[in-house]
Amino acid sequence: MSILVLADLHEGQLAGATAYVIAAAQQIGGDIDVLVAGEGVQAAAEAAAKLDGVSKVRVADNVVYAHQLAEPMGALLVELADGYTHVLASASTTGKNVLPRLAALKDVSQLSDVLAVDSADTFKRPIYAGNAIATVKSNDVLKVITVRTTGFDAVGDGGSATIEAVDTVVDNAQSSFVKQELAESDRPELGGAKVVISGGRGMGNGDNFKLLDGIADKLGAAIGASRAAVDAGFVPNDMQVGQTGKIVAPDLYIAVGISGAIQHLAGMKDSKVIVAINKDDEAPIFQVADYGLVGDLFEFLPEIESKI
């Protein structure tokens, strides 16, 4: 068996999600190649070559792949996929955008959000907002898989894979990059943070989210939000944690003023330690919390901050 992993890139650098996808690939078994596609991505390729378990890094460095648009990336993968039994990517924006196109063009089924590997053709994935785990088997010659990174432990740095250039340059007349607006923050990226503190509708308004800043700074935490808080306009949607937001599994998750709707729990219930602060002692969040604090968050937050 041979596996191709599509590397995740962030501003041209190798993203941490790639190490988790390689861990999933190792459980499948076989030779693992990593595809690094973009523009000016030599540093990312060198970083990928150092990851444990990687046999070869294939580098497609061309302006057509600069923003990893689905159309050129899908066409590139179609050209490369015939030599592989599995193609994997993280269940990130890029993975969810690109791999379905590959699956459609190769006329195979896609397996999405895989969080465990039973064998080379049998996998586990969540359904019903994470309330059930389905075991699915694929008989397709090519398995196209997006990986939920929270289900695996990242591989380390200790490899020395070879790096080779991919000369394939595809045409793309279907889409073009217009612009991007990036949120800048000194805090850790939400999807990879070891500590996350999130606010919900109970925060009352966007200004009250500042109450989380002091605690986040002291703990080195990322700040998230529930969909209710995002829909209410308290914070931007890139902070959303949940089934339709970001899936997180930090060492510590602090839920403040979040009732615990099923969609939110689907995005954070794999956290190692969950702390909930809510004035409603019957809020569903307490069913998954390791520690619960019932009371007024506006009284508790300043006190917690002062004692950390």
Side-chain angles (χ1 to χ4, degrees):
M1 288 183 296
S2 55
I3 302 169
L4 180 64
V5 171
L6 176 62
D8 260 79
L9 302 181
H10 180 66
E11 295 184 359
Q13 302 299 311
L14 189 71
T18 306
Y20 294 90
V21 181
I22 292 170
Q26 286 182 329
Q27 293 188 21
I28 295 171
D31 294 330
I32 301 171
D33 292 353
V34 175
L35 173 62
V36 178
E39 183 182 20
V41 291
Q42 186 62 31
E46 292 172 358
K50 295 177 182 178
L51 294 174
D52 288 333
V54 177
S55 302
K56 181 168 57 181
V57 176
R58 308 186 68 180
V59 184
D61 195 330
N62 191 277
V63 65
V64 73
Y65 309 122
H67 301 286
Q68 296 195 318
L69 299 177
E71 290 79 8
M73 292 292 290
L76 173 63
L77 285 172
V78 168
E79 293 291 326
L80 301 179
D82 288 343
Y84 297 95
T85 56
H86 300 71
V87 176
L88 275 62
S90 71
S92 61
T93 302
T94 299
K96 291 178 179 179
N97 195 25
V98 174
L99 259 59
R101 179 170 288 270
L102 168 65
L105 291 171
K106 299 296 286 185
D107 196 24
V108 298
S109 300
Q110 177 174 306
L111 304 176
S112 300
D113 264 344
V114 164
L115 48 72
V117 176
D118 283 356
S119 67
D121 61 3
T122 306
F123 309 89
K124 287 185 168 62
R125 62 178 301 270
I127 58 174
Y128 303 130
N131 282 288
I133 304 299
T135 301
V136 292
K137 181 177 181 179
S138 171
N139 292 323
D140 289 325
V141 175
L142 177 67
K143 278 77 169 172
V144 178
I145 299 168
T146 58
V147 174
R148 179 173 289 194
T149 56
T150 57
F152 301 89
D153 294 326
V155 299
D157 290 335
S160 56
T162 59
I163 299 176
E164 71 171 28
V166 174
D167 296 329
T168 303
V169 178
V170 301
D171 294 324
N172 177 33
Q174 296 173 286
S175 62
S176 61
F177 176 79
V178 179
K179 68 174 183 177
Q180 64 182 0
E181 296 180 10
L182 299 176
E184 295 184 4
S185 174
D186 293 332
R187 295 197 175 91
E189 195 274 324
L190 183 58
K194 293 186 177 181
V195 180
V196 174
I197 180 167
S198 291
R201 198 200 309 268
M203 297 298 294
N205 58 56
D207 289 339
N208 289 333
F209 265 74
K210 295 176 182 177
L211 292 170
L212 306 179
D213 288 348
I215 297 174
D217 290 341
K218 289 186 175 183
L219 296 178
I223 295 181
S226 68
R227 178 169 181 171
V230 171
D231 287 349
F234 296 171
V235 292
N237 59 10
D238 62 339
M239 293 174 62
Q240 183 177 323
V241 173
Q243 184 182 12
T244 54
K246 294 181 180 176
I247 308 296
V248 301
D251 294 337
L252 172 62
Y253 187 88
I254 305 173
V256 182
I258 295 175
S259 62
I262 186 172
Q263 292 86 354
H264 186 77
L265 299 184
M268 46 64 72
K269 65 181 181 181
D270 291 331
S271 305
K272 292 181 175 61
V273 177
I274 299 172
V275 176
I277 302 173
N278 200 295
K279 65 181 179 182
D280 179 7
D281 60 359
E282 296 184 355
I285 191 71
F286 289 121
Q287 295 177 15
V288 300
D290 298 287
Y291 301 93
L293 194 56
V294 179
D296 187 347
L297 65 89
F298 297 105
E299 295 178 5
F300 284 145
L301 289 177
E303 186 174 357
I304 292 171
E305 181 182 348
S306 68
K307 291 186 176 181
I308 295 177

